[in-house]
Amino acid sequence: MKISILALIPLLLSGYGLAQSLPERLQRCQQIDSALKRLDCYDQLARKMAVPGSSTLENKKPKPNASKPVVAKVQNEKAKAKAEFGLTEAQKQKDKPKVDRIEAVVTKREKGPRGKWLITLDNGQIWKQNDGEYFPFPRNGAVYIEEGAFGTYYLSAETTNRMIKVKRLQ
């Protein structure tokens, strides 16, 4: 048997309604057919359960523009995901700008235990030499790193025609 909202109001206003346990009151609200009346029942129950001085929904004021950047970012990511749905990785990468070469200045270089260089650049990247080739570092430290075939990278400088194979660590 469904309890109508009219029958529920006197119970809520009486002491009997307060003596019931929380699960019983929630169950009464759950049995209401009308969505609006059911929501009103839950709201009344929440107001009665609220402790004075605590932060309730009525006391909280929404912060203006607090969540708009996050919401916009999530919506942009969802729109992008929808637009890329079904594309292969190669097709997804086609629209992104491709960087074939970076130029930087060596801030730190040290030889490892096997005689290979560990190179730190001014942009914070750390690269490790992969081959055993000799490389004369320029005095000013200006180098560039290019992408080679099959995902390899080469470090070189404008002052020399030598290259060493490198791998990015960080």
Side-chain angles (χ1 to χ4, degrees):
M1 172 169 49
K2 302 283 181 181
I3 298 176
S4 71
I5 191 69
L6 297 175
L8 186 60
I9 290 176
L11 287 176
L12 290 175
L13 296 176
S14 69
Y16 175 74
L18 295 174
Q20 291 178 327
S21 68
L22 179 62
E24 290 172 350
R25 288 189 246 172
L26 288 173
Q27 189 173 15
R28 286 188 182 269
C29 289
Q30 186 179 14
Q31 292 174 352
I32 298 173
D33 288 334
S34 170
L36 186 60
K37 291 177 182 178
R38 186 173 49 249
L39 180 61
D40 187 43
C41 177
Y42 285 129
D43 287 343
Q44 289 177 6
L45 185 61
R47 275 190 226 106
K48 287 181 182 181
M49 300 298 294
V51 178
S54 69
S55 61
T56 62
L57 292 176
E58 294 172 357
N59 293 339
K60 284 189 178 179
K61 294 180 182 174
K63 296 179 182 176
N65 301 329
S67 64
K68 286 185 180 178
V70 175
V71 171
K73 183 178 179 183
V74 169
Q75 288 174 344
N76 287 342
E77 289 174 0
K78 285 183 180 180
K80 181 179 175 186
K82 283 183 180 180
E84 291 180 348
F85 181 76
L87 296 177
T88 64
E89 286 301 316
Q91 290 170 325
K92 290 178 187 177
Q93 297 296 330
K94 187 172 75 171
D95 294 338
K96 294 183 180 177
K98 181 136 171 83
V99 178
D100 293 328
R101 173 180 166 150
I102 63 165
E103 296 179 0
V105 176
V106 176
T107 57
K108 181 179 174 185
R109 66 178 190 211
E110 48 189 59
K111 281 223 176 199
R114 301 191 186 258
K116 295 185 179 180
W117 289 105
L118 188 65
I119 305 151
T120 304
L121 302 177
D122 62 346
N123 59 9
Q125 295 178 356
I126 299 175
W127 295 78
K128 178 183 110 176
Q129 182 180 5
N130 266 0
D131 59 9
E133 297 293 320
Y134 165 76
F135 183 74
F137 283 93
R139 292 181 196 260
N140 64 1
V143 295
Y144 62 88
I145 298 176
E146 291 181 315
E147 186 175 2
F150 304 113
T152 58
Y153 294 91
Y154 295 96
L155 182 135
S156 188
E158 297 293 338
T159 59
T160 182
N161 61 356
R162 293 185 151 280
M163 295 180 134
I164 57 172
K165 191 184 294 187
V166 292
K167 177 182 177 183
R168 184 169 175 183
L169 298 180
Q170 189 176 1

